[in-house]
């Protein structure tokens, strides 16, 4: 059974919206798209190559799928570790409106998300990876389907934009499994989901 792995880019104030370009996602009048681009370096490239070396299939939200489908099929070098996997491996899109996907190897899942994703995990050899797709990722966390989160936190505050863990997110605890800081200052941290948070208190010392 494959692991469901979420890879997400966020700012210091938790925004995931439009990391890759000004027109990527302008919902709510968001005008700061492309905030992750200045931080791309060799360290980031090595991390991405490692992620794509473990993938068995992709699970994407509709918006991220449309962005990817408009770009990656044009990257035809089979030696490219990202394009080669994205173009060759199965891609699943969670959408109730997409009916005729043009990117080869795409399957639309529009039924019960928990049931369909559980089945995908069972038949995927390697990681079932979610890239971007913030709304889908939140739904998967809520359903308890996420095994691992790779969270890349960028040294920038935007003050606006959609947040990955917005108000009302399911309380979730994680176990840190590794990480590093890139030369450009991006914090790359990996976590496994462990369940519900534990709580405690800092009590005053008892009277002697």
């Amino acid at each position: 059974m494959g692991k469901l792995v979420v890879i997400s880019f966020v700012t210091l104030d938790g925004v995931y919206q439009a990391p890759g370009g000004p027109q990527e996602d302008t919902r709510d009048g968001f005008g700061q798209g492309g905030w992750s681009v200045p931080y791309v370096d060799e360290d980031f490239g090595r991390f991405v190559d490692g992620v794509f070396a473990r993938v068995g299939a992709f699970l994407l939200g509709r918006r991220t799928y449309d962005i990817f489908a408009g770009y990656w099929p044009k990257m035809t070098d089979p030696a490219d570790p990202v394009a080669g996997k994205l173009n060759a491996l199965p891609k699943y899109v969670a959408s109730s409106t997409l009916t005729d996907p043009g990117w080869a190897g795409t399957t639309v899942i529009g039924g019960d998300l928990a049931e369909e994703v559980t089945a995908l995990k069972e038949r995927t050899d390697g990681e079932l990876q979610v890239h971007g797709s913030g709304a889908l990722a939140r739904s998967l966390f809520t359903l308890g389907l996420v095994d691992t989160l790779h969270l890349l936190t960028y040294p920038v505050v935007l003050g606006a934009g959609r947040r990955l863990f917005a108000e009302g997110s399911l309380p979730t605890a994680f176990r840190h499994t590794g990480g590093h800081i890139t030369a450009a200052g991006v914090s790359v941290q990996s976590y496994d989901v462990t369940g519900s948070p534990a709580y405690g208190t800092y009590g005053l010392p008892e009277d002697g």
Side-chain angles (χ1 to χ4, degrees):
M1 182 172 178
K3 289 203 311 179
L4 180 61
V5 178
V6 171
I7 300 97
S8 187
F9 301 175
V10 298
T11 65
L12 288 174
D13 53 339
V15 174
Y16 75 87
Q17 190 171 357
Q23 301 306 315
E24 195 172 68
D25 183 355
T26 58
R27 285 176 296 172
D28 310 320
F30 186 66
Q32 301 186 75
W35 46 266
S36 77
V37 177
Y39 300 96
V40 172
D41 62 7
E42 290 184 2
D43 291 338
F44 173 79
R46 280 191 289 271
F47 167 77
V48 170
D49 289 349
V51 166
F52 277 84
R54 299 187 296 270
V55 67
F58 299 94
L59 173 61
L60 304 171
R62 173 65 187 274
R63 186 174 297 273
T64 299
Y65 174 79
D66 285 345
I67 293 167
F68 279 18
Y71 179 82
W72 288 110
K74 301 170 187 172
M75 304 294 112
T76 55
D77 180 0
D80 185 310
V82 176
K85 293 292 180 70
L86 278 165
N87 287 318
L89 291 176
K91 293 163 286 289
Y92 301 96
V93 188
S95 174
S96 59
T97 56
L98 182 63
T99 55
D100 188 22
W103 194 4
T106 299
T107 301
V108 178
I109 59 171
D112 183 279
L113 187 64
E115 185 177 299
E116 297 212 39
V117 172
T118 298
L120 288 180
K121 288 175 68 173
E122 289 175 351
R123 67 171 182 262
T124 297
D125 183 17
E127 295 181 354
L128 178 61
Q129 292 183 355
V130 179
H131 292 262
S133 309
L136 172 62
R138 281 197 302 275
S139 295
L140 295 169
F141 275 111
T142 299
L143 292 168
L145 294 172
V146 178
D147 298 298
T148 297
L149 169 65
H150 297 307
L151 190 69
L152 282 69
T153 304
Y154 287 72
V156 60
V157 169
L158 301 180
R162 298 192 173 214
R163 285 159 173 78
L164 179 63
F165 294 112
E167 190 76 19
S169 294
L170 181 73
T172 306
F174 299 84
R175 179 175 62 88
H176 184 249
T177 59
H180 64 280
I181 311 294
T182 71
V186 178
S187 177
V188 182
Q189 304 299 328
S190 299
Y191 304 92
D192 285 346
V193 176
T194 59
S196 299
Y199 304 95
T201 184
Y202 293 107
L204 293 172
E206 296 181 6
D207 292 335

